[in-house]
Structures are given as structure tokens and as C-alpha cells.
Amino acid sequence: MLSLLHTRWRALAGNTRGVLLVVLAMACWAVLDACNKRLMATGIAPKQVLFLQATIVLAMLAPVVAWTRGRIVATRQPRIHLLRAGFIVTSAWCAAYAVSHLPLAEASAYLMTGSLFMLPLGVWLLGEQPHWLRWSGVLVGFGGVLVILQPGAEAFHPAALVALLGALMESMLGVVLKKYSGQEHPIAVLTWSQVACWLTFGVFSGFSLPSVPPTLWWLLPVVGVAAAGIYLSYFFAYRAGDASAVEAGSFSLLLFSPTLGWLVFAETPELAFWLGAGLLVCGIALVIVEPTGRVRGQ
């Protein structure tokens, strides 16, 4: 059965596999944000939640690292892991802070803008040559962000700007992953990412794990699996297809997060959110679409 599923999976086009993997990453992302929001609702600070999260993931990876005697996490690119560490720590803190101060759906919408940041970053850092339709998509997408932000209105929350910074850091992670991580083992990328988070948020937390109410202990393995799932899904998605194409799967976050926000926290997004989210989706769609007759890379 597993062999048949693997054969059918490999038969899919690379971009199709990539989109499905990004959808899986978005599902993990929504679940992780919901879990973290629930933990922070008990009074646990974002830095402590992130230290706990990294501890859980590293504990899950420890048997694999021990079994391979550390060979699986060996790297010839320590400087790249150090660069990624800066982006990872910043994006993780921004996401946790935003989730603790904003409705789950709204925080997720801002974090989705990483797909739009990828375009100018791709031109600047990867030498990509995007067509005019993609630039139009960036303008439309950020127009949607402004609708959700409502700058100058009473509804505006500074945490939205923190979420946008997190999205920018996520897109920088994507650039580094696409450009430098081709020869790295996915477990190595995941492990060193979590080591960076563990050390950073451990220092800020005094290396003291937070006290989680026994009624919420069941969330801990869910946090570990969801956090690992995000990194691994994105890693294989970028390997399977074109980064600009597989990002289509990020649309699904606007399905998962509002659903979990409604089911778990009784959050109902306002009309401005749906209008802005619609523009955001249209903008990302324009970024992804290739004009007829255009060959990628020209």
C-alpha cells in the first residue's frame, strides 16, 4: 500500500506536489498558532512558549540524531545556518507575539504576505526577472493588507506591524532555503533551526520551562509535530517545484486559521478582514500566474 501511494505521489507534477506540501505546512501552521495562543492564554509569555516549543521538537529529534551518531545533522555550511538562525528567531517571535495579540485569522493573513515579499527579494537576491503581472499582484496584495490593517482607525493594532515583520523574515528564510540548502539534509535544517530557537529563547527565559496546566499537556506533542511539520513540508515543497508556483498552497491558511479561530476561540472575522483577505488572495494569484507563452526564467 505504501509503495503504491509513493508511486502515485511521484507520478504527480513537481509543482503539484509542492502545492500540496505547502497546504500541509499551512495546516500545521494554523494548528501550531492555535496551540500557542491557547498556551499563552494561561499567562505563559511568548518567549517561554517558543522555548518550550523548541525543547519539544529537539526532544523528538534526539533519538534520530543519536541513532545516526550525529551524522544526520552534520553540515558544511555553518555560516548559512547562522544566517537562517537570525531570520528564524525573529520570525518565530513575531508570529507568537502577533497570535497572542490578534485574532488567529487576522494574524495568519498578515503572515501570508511573505509570498508577496518573495517577489522583490527574488529580484534583489536571486536575480529573478518577474513580469509586470507579478508586480501588479504585489500592489493588489498589499492593498488587501491595508484594508485589513485599517491604518488610522480605532481597529488598528500595532501587533499587525510585528506580524508583517515576521512575514518578511519568513520570506528571507525562503530565499536562503532556495539558494543555499539544496545539499543539506532536512533533519539537519530542522535541528539547527530549533537549536537556534532553543538557545535564544532559553536565554530570554532563563532556560526555565513554563508550567503548563495538566489539562493542556495533550497540546505538547501536537506542538512538536506541527512545528516540525511546517519546516519539513516547506523544505520538500521547495525541492519539488518552483517557489513562486508552490506558494499557491498558502491560500489554504485563510481556510484553516479562521476555522480554528472560530472553533477554539469563538473568533468571527469582521467584514474588513474578508475584503482584505480577498484582495490578498487575488494579489498572490497574480504573482503566481505566468502569462501565456512565457517561459519561466526569461
Side-chain angles (χ1 to χ4, degrees), residues 46-204:
K47 60 184 179 182
Q48 291 181 299
V49 168
L50 293 170
F51 178 57
L52 174 64
Q53 175 183 307
T55 301
I56 294 171
V57 176
L58 289 176
M60 292 170 52
L61 293 171
V64 179
V65 176
W67 179 262
T68 62
R69 298 182 180 180
R71 289 190 298 271
I72 199 169
V73 296
T75 179
R76 288 175 289 183
Q77 299 178 326
R79 292 182 181 179
I80 299 304
H81 285 292
L82 188 61
L83 177 63
R84 293 183 71 251
F87 296 139
I88 289 166
V89 168
T90 306
S91 66
W93 183 84
C94 288
Y97 182 88
V99 166
S100 67
H101 289 81
L102 297 170
L104 196 61
E106 188 174 337
S108 297
Y110 295 133
L111 293 170
M112 270 185 64
T113 59
S115 299
L116 301 178
F117 284 121
M118 277 294 292
L119 183 62
L121 289 175
V123 173
W124 179 34
L125 299 174
L126 299 176
E128 296 180 349
Q129 299 179 4
H131 49 78
W132 66 270
L133 203 56
R134 289 186 177 181
W135 289 113
S136 300
V138 169
L139 294 176
V140 172
F142 279 114
V145 171
L146 289 176
V147 172
I148 301 175
L149 273 174
Q150 301 183 62
E154 293 182 0
F156 173 74
H157 198 294
L161 300 181
V162 176
L164 290 175
L165 175 60
L168 176 59
M169 294 299 100
E170 281 293 326
S171 61
M172 289 298 299
L173 277 173
V175 170
V176 174
L177 183 63
K178 181 177 180 181
K179 190 169 184 177
Y180 297 109
S181 300
Q183 304 302 318
E184 293 289 292
H185 194 284
I187 297 299
V189 173
L190 174 59
T191 300
W192 292 118
S193 299
Q194 294 306 304
V195 166
C197 290
W198 189 84
L199 289 173
T200 302
F201 297 115
V203 169
F204 291 138

Side-chain angles (χ1 to χ4, degrees), residues 264-282:
V264 181
F265 303 104
E267 297 173 348
T268 303
E270 298 179 355
L271 178 60
F273 167 81
W274 293 115
L275 292 175
L279 286 173
L280 179 58
V281 169
C282 290

Side-chain angles (χ1 to χ4, degrees), residues 195-219:
V195 166
C197 290
W198 189 84
L199 289 173
T200 302
F201 297 115
V203 169
F204 291 138
S205 303
F207 290 99
S208 176
L209 290 172
S211 178
V212 178
T215 54
L216 296 181
W217 284 356
W218 65 273
L219 286 178

